[in-house]
Structures are given as structure tokens and as C-alpha cells.
């Protein structure tokens, strides 16, 4: 009512903020958006920073990464709060990565990594972002350094993922022994993570196949299919389906090889004139001996 009566009143911005906050807490994001935006896009006010945070989060969650990036960059400029600056740097890094701007993502990740009092969780994500972005840019050396540091200096699931990425790189480079060694480290380490153990066994099956051990490769993949428990709530790729796809591919290649090794059956072509002559020719009398006189077996007869 106040805003309808005094849209530019002395308490208008305050009213917009509290109205937006009420909508947001109730889950009415679209109702909250225009009120937060109005405050976020104004000059500096006591409510601007909070509105910028909300607009950045809303846009990121909606997949509007360019808009989110702009708001997080503004937050980093205007905020005096260390927590908000840290949040801004983290989401700037994530936004660049989502936008496929990998060089900028690496720069942002290094900035986050070097921020004071940053948590191990965010350091892990910074190194992972550097590694994944470097892979997208075909900078394997940079990726190895990032994944190597993460796998050796931190103890969490992301460090295990980094170790798996090193195994994949070694496999792609043809170093099957190194790849296999890293994968068995993942399988045997404590604490363990089922998803990365499953992925490790699938890559190990690939290594077996590359070495010509098709039986062991198929048995390893079949074990994943039979025993791995898929989390229905997980958004990660389904490892059972991945193992089944690879197993079917191996079987298809084997069948193709077997067909190549089988001798081709000769097919007789009886078409055309030859066929007509072969099957329609009338039987002729045997004239071979018609004019030859019969000689008795006993010349004296």
C-alpha cells in the first residue's frame, strides 16, 4: 500500500527490500526479482549489497550466468565483508566455467585460491576448476599440476576425483602401467568413495582390453553391472549403463573379428543363359557308338 501511494517516498527502497525478502522467503522468486533488481541497480544504499547478493544467486540458479557474473563482480567491488568477497570470487569462478570462458575461470580460481582464510573445500574447487579448464584448453601440463596438487595435499572426494583425472590422462598418453597404478590407489585408499571406485574399475577394464586380455576386461565390466548400486538421486552418469555400453562394444568387436576369420561360402550363380541351358536342355540320345560295328568278344563266333 505504501509503495502504491508513495512509489518514490522516503521509505520506498526499504519497502521494496522487505517486500522482496518476504516473497523470497516464501519461495516466490519471480515476485521477489523485480524488487531486488530495483534496489541492486540503484546507487549505493544500505540495502544494495544484500539485493546484489540475491540477484546474483537468483540468476545463477536460473542459468543466467552472464547476469550472475555481472552481479557477483559488482558484489566484489562494493563489499567490505570478507565473507561476501569470498562468495563473490567463488561464484565468479563458477560463472566463467559455466560460460565456457576457461582462461578467465583459471584466473578467477587462482584469485580465490590466494584469498586469505579460504577453506580447504574452496581451495579444492579452485584447483579442480584450474585442472578442468586447462583440459578444455588442451593444456595438459597445467592440468597435471592442478590435479597433482589436489590429489596429494587434500583429503576429500574432490582429491580422489583429481587422482582419477591423472589416471585418465596417463591412459590417454598411452602409459597404461601408470594409469593402472593410480586406479588401484583409488580403489584401495581410505576413506573410499564408491562412485570413483566404480569409474576406476571401468577404466581398468579398458586397460585390460588394450593389453589384449578381453576375458578379464569383460569380467570386470560384468562385475560392475552385477554389483554396483546406482543412487537414484545422483545426477552423476550411470556407471552400470556405462559399463554395459562398453561391454556390448567389446562383444560387438569380437563378433566382427570372428566374421572376418570365417571362410566365405562360394555361391553358384545359375542365372541367365547358362541356367537355361543347364536345366532346359532336352536329353539327347547317345550317338557315340551308333556307327561302330559290334565286335563279338570271341572272334571265332
Amino acid at each position: 500500500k505504501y509503495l502504491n501511494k508513495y512509489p518514490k517516498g522516503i521509505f520506498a527502497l526499504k519497502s521494496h527490500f522487505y517486500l522482496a525478502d518476504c516473497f523470497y522467503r516464501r519461495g516466490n522468486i519471480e515476485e521477489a526479482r523485480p524488487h531486488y533488481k530495483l534496489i541492486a541497480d540503484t546507487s549505493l544504499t544500505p540495502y544494495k549489497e544484500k539485493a546484489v547478493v540475491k540477484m546474483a544467486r537468483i540468476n545463477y540458479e536460473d542459468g543466467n550466468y552472464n547476469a550472475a557474473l555481472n552481479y557477483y563482480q559488482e558484489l566484489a567491488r562494493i563489499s567490505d565483508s570478507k565473507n561476501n568477497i569470498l562468495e563473490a570470487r567463488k561464484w565468479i569462478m563458477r560463472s566463467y566455467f559455466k560460460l565456457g570462458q576457461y582462461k578467465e575461470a583459471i584466473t578467477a580460481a587462482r584469485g580465490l585460491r590466494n584469498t586469505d582464510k579460504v577453506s580447504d573445500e574452496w581451495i579444492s574447487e579452485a584447483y579442480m576448476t584450474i585442472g578442468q579448464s586447462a583440459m578444455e584448453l588442451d593444456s595438459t601440463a597445467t592440468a597435471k599440476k592442478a590435479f597433482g596438487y589436489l590429489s596429494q595435499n587434500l583429503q576429500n572426494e574432490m582429491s580422489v576425483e583429481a587422482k582419477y583425472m591423472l589416471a585418465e590422462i596417463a591412459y590417454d598418453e598411452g602409459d597404461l602401467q601408470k594409469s593402472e597404478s593410480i586406479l588401484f590407489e583409488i580403489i584401495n585408499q581410505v576413506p573410499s568413495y564408491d562412485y570413483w571406485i566404480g569409474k576406476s574399475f571401468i577404466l581398468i577394464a579398458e586397460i585390460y582390453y588394450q593389453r589384449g586380455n578381453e576375458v578379464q576386461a569383460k569380467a570386470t565390466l560384468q562385475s560392475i553391472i552385477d554389483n554396483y548400486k546406482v543412487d537414484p538421486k545422483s545426477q552423476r552418469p550411470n556407471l552400470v549403463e556405462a559399463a554395459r555400453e562398453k561391454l556390448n562394444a567389446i562383444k560387438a568387436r569380437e563378433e566382427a573379428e570372428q566374421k572376418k576369420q570365417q571362410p566365405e561360402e562360394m555361391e553358384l550363380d545359375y542365372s541367365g543363359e547358362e541356367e537355361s541351358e543347364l536345366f532346359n536342355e532336352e536329353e539327347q540320345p547317345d550317338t557315340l557308338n551308333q556307327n561302330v560295328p559290334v565286335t563279338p568278344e570271341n572272334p571265332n563266333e
Side-chain angles (χ1 to χ4, degrees), residues 254-265:
E254 286 180 339
E255 290 176 3
E257 287 297 323
Q258 288 174 0
K259 287 182 179 179
K260 286 181 181 180
Q261 295 173 6
Q262 290 176 354
E264 295 185 2
E265 294 184 1

Side-chain angles (χ1 to χ4, degrees), residues 25-38:
R25 291 174 185 274
R26 292 175 182 175
N28 298 328
I29 306 302
E30 291 307 312
E31 296 288 341
R33 186 195 296 268
H35 300 284
Y36 280 134
K37 187 176 189 307
L38 186 147

Side-chain angles (χ1 to χ4, degrees), residues 93 97 102 105-106 109-110 112-113 120-136 142-143 145-151 154 156-166 196:
M93 173 189 73
F97 189 82
Y102 299 116
I106 290 174
R110 287 171 175 163
L112 175 63
R113 179 192 63 187
D120 285 348
E121 179 183 357
W122 288 10
I123 289 175
S124 297
E125 185 172 341
Y127 275 105
M128 180 59 68
T129 300
I130 293 170
Q132 291 177 335
S133 298
M135 291 294 289
E136 294 290 342
T142 300
K145 288 180 182 178
F147 293 141
Y149 180 89
L150 182 51
S151 65
L154 294 163
N156 54 27
E157 185 171 2
M158 204 168 287
S159 69
V160 179
E161 181 180 356
K163 190 175 289 188
Y164 177 83
M165 294 303 297
L166 289 171
W196 296 107

Side-chain angles (χ1 to χ4, degrees), residues 52-53 55-75 86-109 112 125-126 129 132-133:
V52 168
V53 171
M55 283 302 296
R57 290 176 181 172
I58 289 171
N59 279 285
Y60 190 92
E61 289 171 0
D62 284 350
N64 300 322
Y65 301 119
N66 270 314
L69 177 61
N70 291 333
Y71 280 115
Y72 278 121
Q73 287 173 329
E74 185 171 7
L75 178 62
L86 273 173
E87 179 175 350
R89 289 180 178 177
K90 179 177 74 170
W91 290 96
I92 287 171
M93 173 189 73
R94 288 182 174 181
S95 297
Y96 275 132
F97 189 82
K98 287 287 189 179
L99 290 167
Q101 299 180 31
Y102 299 116
K103 290 182 179 179
E104 292 80 2
I106 290 174
T107 300
L112 175 63
E125 185 172 341
T129 300
Q132 291 177 335
S133 298

Side-chain angles (χ1 to χ4, degrees), residues 157-222:
E157 185 171 2
M158 204 168 287
S159 69
V160 179
E161 181 180 356
K163 190 175 289 188
Y164 177 83
M165 294 303 297
L166 289 171
E168 271 200 342
I169 291 172
Y171 177 85
D172 291 338
E173 292 177 341
D175 193 342
L176 302 185
Q177 183 62 43
K178 182 177 181 181
S179 179
E180 184 180 36
S181 176
I182 296 172
L183 293 169
F184 276 110
E185 284 181 19
I186 295 172
I187 291 167
N188 295 321
Q189 80 173 50
V190 177
S192 62
Y193 298 92
D194 289 346
Y195 179 79
W196 296 107
I197 289 175
K199 278 188 74 72
S200 295
F201 273 121
I202 291 175
L203 187 52
I204 286 171
E206 292 276 6
I207 292 172
Y208 288 149
Y209 185 80
Q210 290 296 325
R211 288 173 174 166
N213 192 344
E214 293 88 350
V215 173
Q216 190 65 35
K218 290 189 292 185
T220 302
L221 293 170
Q222 189 63 54

